[in-house]
Amino acid sequence: MCGIVGFVADSGDALPFLFDGLKRLEYRGYDSAGIALATPEGIATQKSQGKLAQLQELLDRLPRGVPCGIGHTRWATHGRPTDENAHPHMDCQGIIATVHNGIIENFQELKQELMGAGHVFASDTDTEVVPHLLEAYGGDKDLVRAVQSAESRLKGAYAFLAMSSRQPDTIIAVRRSSPLVIGWGEGVHYIASDVSAFLANTRQAQFLENGDLAVVTPQSVTIHDGQGQITERPVTTIGWNIRQAERGGYTHFMLKEIMEQPDVWGDCLRGRVQNGRVVVEELGLVSRQLPKVGRIQIVAAGTAYHAGLVGKSLIERLARIPVDVAVASEFRYQEPVLTDDTLVMAISQSGETADTLACMALARHQGMSTYALVNQVGSTLARESDRVGYTHAGPEIAVASTKAYTTQILVLTLLALALAEARGRARPDLVEGLLMLPAIGQEIVQDLEHIQDMAAQLAQSPHVFYIGRGMDYALAMEGQLKIKEISYIHAEAYAAGEMKHGTLALIEEGTPVVAILTEERLAGKTLSNILEVKARGARVWAIVGKTLGRELPVDHLLSIPTREPFLSPALAALPLQLLAYWTAVNRGQDVDQPRNLAKSVTVE
Ligand code: M6R
């Protein structure tokens, strides 16, 4: 939800970094974008609705060789995506510029107050109250003090950067829930919503904590904590490199991220399996605590929620521990009943999803033990949970989550197997079997022709149904989300046995149905459901486990080369992802940046 960048150096040119940083953060929002540079003569700014390509056309109107500036790429919350609502926003005198991520909840009352005092607003955004408040608190003379005073007036979850043409060597960075990280270089500091913005320049990163206010100059970073005390935050070295955050010859990040999954699975499993046993400590957990886990409550959103559903099935069936899975935006308001032996587990690629963070805060408040399964190293969720396990999927840039999802499934499988062993139900065959998945995954992603064929047909259809039972139903839910979000085809996932309770009425001649069937024990049942939709004219495409597809009366068959259901979910996800990808490509959609969406949802 909005990407923000800042650059302040002894000398040099902020503009190339700001634009490049915004390109790398464009996945966070792409409704509009803008850049401001602080020169002693005043703030120079350019902004435009639409994607960064539109801003790029305006860049030659900005001065070069200015070493201090901020930039923004927007996912609209308050106010339509217009030039006026694009950030940076300024005070009345044009001295102070700000960029902002998140929501200022009390902006209406602040705006009224400021307008009453003569401030003139140029946009419909909540953000614009910030530069005007800074102006009201004397930001033209002392920006730090003005930010400290303004801060006490703002309500909400946000991060912002502010700079003034009167102090053109300083950027103030404020973090209240929305992420901010400072990159350290020689005589230069970078500021960004996430590290991918500056990985090409430095891997030395300093994550701000909630409540921090950082005064950033070329030579120093002074951090005040939520109580106003000067504090230190560690500078860590980021393990990712910039190549991982680039397209590497693929037309879209999504395709690259799908195709690299087999390798990424290798990274995810590395060091976590030894002699048929899961190395529990490598999951961020402590072995002796596992037998004490009596129940697990998973919270997550979107694709991560779907991974949680697969996890529920794996943990319950392998370890016989009850698992509840909740959509984070619902759980936080459900007044959940949590028993002392419950482990509350959040799953999130970004580690910054506002609803998921709120659930974990609630669990901590109730004294629960918390565990986060996260991809982004150093993210808020990772830092605010008792324990953290990483998916090690590397940077995921496409809005549609793919490799984060399958690595979440792999870690959940490891966790289920570790819990199973702790309860005397060890399955060394499955633990070893996991190590085969990268090679099997490689076979699947190479076999593209069939899927492209299916996608060309699906692209013509206004809707599609996904059906399955058990874990296959959880996969169906992910399949339908993938196709919806990038191809804009209406899709529904149904528990296969549930279709006849109403939804079957929607099946007519030619309706596409994707059936997932990876479990032998359920094959007969799902086959009946396939026959039911076929009898009503559906075109059925089936994704099946090895040996299950031989007799199926379907129009297209994709076979997963394993018959082990507990190891199938990540493998079966591959054709679902590729089907969604090629369907969207066939429809000419913007695959990596689907309309109305953003990669990390840092607002409620
Ligand atoms: O970063 P998170 O995993 O917490 O994000 C959760 C969802 O916003 C995310 O999975 C979303 O549903 C994806 N766009 C799906 O592809």
Side-chain angles (χ1 to χ4, degrees):
M1 298 277 125
C2 300
I4 57 188
V5 287
F7 176 100
V8 56
D10 283 328
S11 58
D13 195 357
L15 192 54
F17 166 76
L18 293 175
F19 190 70
D20 189 59
L22 289 180
K23 272 206 288 200
R24 296 184 190 282
L25 293 186
E26 203 179 10
Y27 71 87
R28 297 178 69 90
Y30 29 83
D31 290 334
S32 62
I35 284 177
L37 300 169
T39 77
E41 294 74 44
I43 301 280
T45 183
Q46 287 296 329
K47 50 192 196 172
S48 167
Q49 64 170 301
K51 296 196 174 183
L52 275 169
Q54 281 169 257
L55 177 67
Q56 190 166 21
E57 287 171 18
L58 307 175
L59 292 186
D60 54 10
R61 299 184 191 172
L62 286 168
R64 300 304 303 259
V66 179
C68 180
I70 56 180
H72 188 268
T73 176
R74 178 169 187 245
W75 184 82
T77 57
H78 295 60
R80 295 175 63 78
T82 59
D83 287 355
E84 294 72 33
N85 290 334
H87 302 211
H89 289 287
M90 313 274 286
D91 64 336
C92 298
Q93 304 173 76
I95 292 174
I96 298 165
T98 53
V99 290
H100 157 239
N101 169 25
I103 291 179
I104 292 166
E105 287 165 4
N106 59 337
F107 83 101
Q108 296 279 25
E109 77 193 55
L110 290 172
K111 191 168 176 174
Q112 289 306 321
E113 177 189 317
L114 288 158
M115 283 169 66
H119 290 263
V120 178
F121 280 73
S123 78
D124 306 321
T125 63
D126 53 341
T127 307
E128 202 187 347
V129 297
V130 179
H132 289 288
L133 257 189
L134 296 179
E135 183 176 33
Y137 286 117
D140 54 338
K141 294 174 201 73
D142 185 341
L143 189 59
V144 179
R145 184 161 296 175
V147 171
Q148 283 167 331
S149 308
E151 257 280 275
S152 62
R153 305 287 317 280
L154 301 173
K155 293 195 181 123
Y158 56 83
F160 70 81
L161 304 183
M163 65 177 191
S164 155
S165 57
R166 300 276 163 85
Q167 289 168 260
D169 61 350
T170 304
I171 296 174
I172 317 285
V174 172
R175 181 192 167 149
R176 296 279 178 279
S177 293
S178 300
L180 268 187
V181 55
I182 299 172
W184 284 62
E186 288 293 315
V188 53
H189 286 113
Y190 311 89
I191 313 167
S193 301
D194 93 48
V195 294
S196 59
F198 56 67
L199 271 183
N201 309 76
T202 180
R203 286 163 68 178
Q204 302 303 307
Q206 186 176 38
F207 291 91
L208 295 185
E209 298 286 344
N210 260 340
D212 284 355
L213 181 160
V215 183
V216 188
T217 72
Q219 297 300 343
S220 64
V221 175
T222 310
I223 300 175
H224 305 250
D225 66 14
Q227 280 66 51
Q229 303 299 316
I230 293 196
T231 188
E232 299 286 326
R233 302 288 178 217
V235 177
T236 51
T237 304
I238 300 298
W240 295 351
N241 64 47
I242 195 61
R243 273 212 345 270
Q244 288 172 283
E246 284 172 351
R247 275 209 304 268
Y250 285 96
T251 20
H252 295 104
F253 277 109
M254 184 178 175
L255 185 58
K256 175 199 171 218
E257 288 161 7
I258 293 173
M259 299 303 280
E260 72 189 9
Q261 284 177 101
D263 289 339
V264 164
W265 294 353
D267 297 339
C268 173
L269 294 169
R270 191 161 302 124
R272 288 173 160 174
V273 167
Q274 254 171 35
N275 306 324
R277 302 186 64 192
V278 175
V279 185
V280 174
E281 284 64 28
E282 290 293 318
L283 303 181
L285 291 163
V286 181
S287 327
R288 70 185 146 70
Q289 288 177 334
L290 292 192
K292 297 182 194 146
V293 176
R295 188 174 157 241
I296 295 177
Q297 172 67 62
I298 295 178
V299 291
T303 287
Y305 168 72
H306 297 152
L309 294 173
V310 173
K312 172 183 166 71
S313 195
L314 290 166
I315 296 168
E316 289 188 337
R317 289 167 63 191
L318 289 168
R320 306 306 295 159
I321 295 174
V323 181
D324 290 311
V325 191
V327 169
S329 56
E330 287 295 315
F331 181 83
R332 61 186 292 189
Y333 298 114
Q334 264 167 359
E335 301 180 25
V337 182
L338 298 169
T339 50
D340 288 348
D341 61 349
T342 302
L343 175 69
V344 180
M345 174 176 179
I347 307 177
S348 173
Q349 186 286 127
S350 62
E352 302 294 350
T353 298
D355 287 318
T356 309
L357 288 173
C359 292
M360 289 304 251
L362 183 121
R364 280 197 311 279
H365 186 69
Q366 294 194 19
M368 306 308 299
S369 170
T370 56
Y371 176 63
L373 177 50
V374 178
N375 191 40
Q376 284 266 10
V377 178
S379 58
T380 308
L381 195 56
R383 285 177 294 118
E384 293 186 353
S385 304
D386 297 333
R387 308 208 152 264
V388 56
Y390 286 104
T391 44
H392 297 308
E396 189 181 69
I397 309 292
V399 165
S401 183
T402 53
K403 60 179 180 168
Y405 171 68
T406 52
T407 50
Q408 285 158 359
I409 289 176
L410 294 193
V411 180
L412 286 162
T413 315
L414 288 164
L415 179 63
L417 290 165
L419 288 164
E421 189 188 318
R423 298 204 151 199
R425 305 173 61 90
R427 288 288 306 266
D429 58 320
L430 292 179
V431 177
E432 290 297 338
L434 270 170
L435 299 178
M436 305 302 294
L437 291 187
I440 305 177
Q442 200 64 51
E443 262 180 67
I444 297 174
V445 295
Q446 296 311 328
D447 184 19
L448 296 178
E449 218 172 301
H450 220 35
I451 296 177
Q452 291 192 20
D453 222 36
M454 286 163 67
Q457 292 179 42
L458 189 51
Q460 311 302 320
S461 179
H463 58 194
V464 52
F465 292 91
Y466 285 72
I467 60 171
R469 288 170 180 259
M471 282 193 291
D472 293 336
Y473 173 41
L475 280 161
M477 291 172 84
E478 176 57 7
Q480 58 91 37
L481 177 63
K482 268 323 57 112
I483 204 115
K484 260 183 202 156
E485 69 179 327
I486 57 168
S487 73
Y488 317 149
I489 291 175
H490 171 246
E492 297 284 347
Y494 267 88
E498 191 65 12
M499 290 286 281
K500 55 186 168 296
H501 297 288
T503 308
L504 204 55
L506 293 174
I507 303 293
E508 51 191 15
E509 201 56 41
T511 304
V513 174
V514 179
I516 305 160
L517 213 180
T518 61
E519 288 210 56
E520 201 143 3
R521 67 182 183 124
L522 299 172
K525 303 286 174 198
T526 306
L527 172 61
S528 304
N529 306 127
I530 291 174
L531 291 171
E532 284 158 14
V533 293
K534 279 294 285 177
R536 273 111 192 139
R539 260 181 307 151
V540 178
W541 301 326
I543 296 171
V544 300
K546 195 172 175 177
T547 71
L548 293 182
R550 279 194 297 253
E551 310 299 327
L552 282 186
V554 296
D555 300 271
H556 274 296
L557 194 70
L558 287 173
S559 182
I560 304 298
T562 176
R563 57 161 65 91
E564 175 47 67
F566 291 117
L567 300 179
S568 295
L571 297 172
L574 298 173
L576 290 170
Q577 295 167 348
L578 284 164
L579 181 62
Y581 172 78
W582 287 111
T583 304
V585 169
N586 265 286
R587 288 168 68 93
Q589 307 301 11
D590 190 343
V591 175
D592 283 340
Q593 297 178 341
R595 70 185 179 203
N596 306 341
L597 301 178
K599 180 75 179 161
S600 103
V601 184
T602 55
V603 295
E604 223 188 305

